[in-house]
Amino acid sequence: MGVAFFIASEREVEGLETNVNGKAFGQTSDKALSRVCKAAGINSLYDYVSQDPEELRELLEDADVEVLETLPEEQWFAPAEGLAWTETLSAYLRANPEAIKNGAALQADLEEFASVFKELQRHEVRWHFAVDF
């Protein structure tokens, strides 16, 4: 089982599945993703990752990791920001197919992300990326 990124919405939108694939991003090294995002002139995917502090505390404690007293608050982003991010990265990957070895798989994830962001925007619901292990 690998890592996958998915979109967590601030509230549920009836009929919207936010747990899209996201596996290509999980299978790409942090360094490669950050490099491509920087080259595209956008924030890193990791700038949009957040989690409920209590869920994070439980996860860290279960992994026997020392937990800070105060964990960061969960952050939420406007869907327009997510849509702009996916569109910019997608355009960059189309223009620079040699930029990253699994660009086609990343494109497929980006298309799924964009469709979710469009629905979240339509319903005015904020989001962040979450990680599934």
Side-chain angles (χ1 to χ4, degrees):
M1 184 176 190
V3 173
F5 289 89
F6 66 96
I7 298 169
S9 59
E10 191 171 27
R11 66 177 168 78
E12 189 175 325
V13 174
E14 188 176 334
L16 179 62
E17 178 60 52
T18 59
N19 194 13
V20 298
N21 188 327
K23 289 182 182 176
F25 279 91
Q27 295 169 351
T28 304
S29 77
D30 301 351
K31 186 176 178 178
L33 281 176
S34 294
R35 179 180 43 78
V36 168
C37 289
K38 183 176 181 177
I42 57 175
N43 289 339
S44 168
L45 169 95
Y46 301 100
D47 291 333
Y48 297 108
V49 173
S50 188
Q51 189 165 357
D52 175 275
E54 290 311 309
E55 289 177 11
L56 180 57
R57 181 178 306 285
E58 288 176 21
L59 180 71
L60 293 172
E61 287 172 352
D62 288 348
D64 286 330
V65 174
E66 187 176 336
V67 181
L68 300 172
E69 259 186 63
T70 305
L71 293 171
E73 290 296 314
E74 192 168 19
Q75 294 182 345
W76 298 102
F77 304 95
E81 187 173 354
L83 192 55
W85 184 85
T86 58
E87 289 172 350
T88 302
L89 184 54
S90 184
Y92 178 82
L93 292 174
R94 279 193 307 277
N96 302 280
E98 75 293 341
I100 197 161
K101 67 180 177 179
N102 63 337
L106 291 174
Q107 286 282 23
D109 282 359
L110 287 168
E111 288 175 21
E112 289 187 49
F113 290 158
S115 68
V116 171
F117 290 138
K118 287 175 185 174
E119 278 301 299
L120 291 177
Q121 188 169 25
R122 194 165 77 78
H123 293 278
E124 300 178 354
V125 176
R126 298 184 307 167
W127 67 282
H128 62 71
F129 283 121
V131 182
D132 186 18
F133 297 95

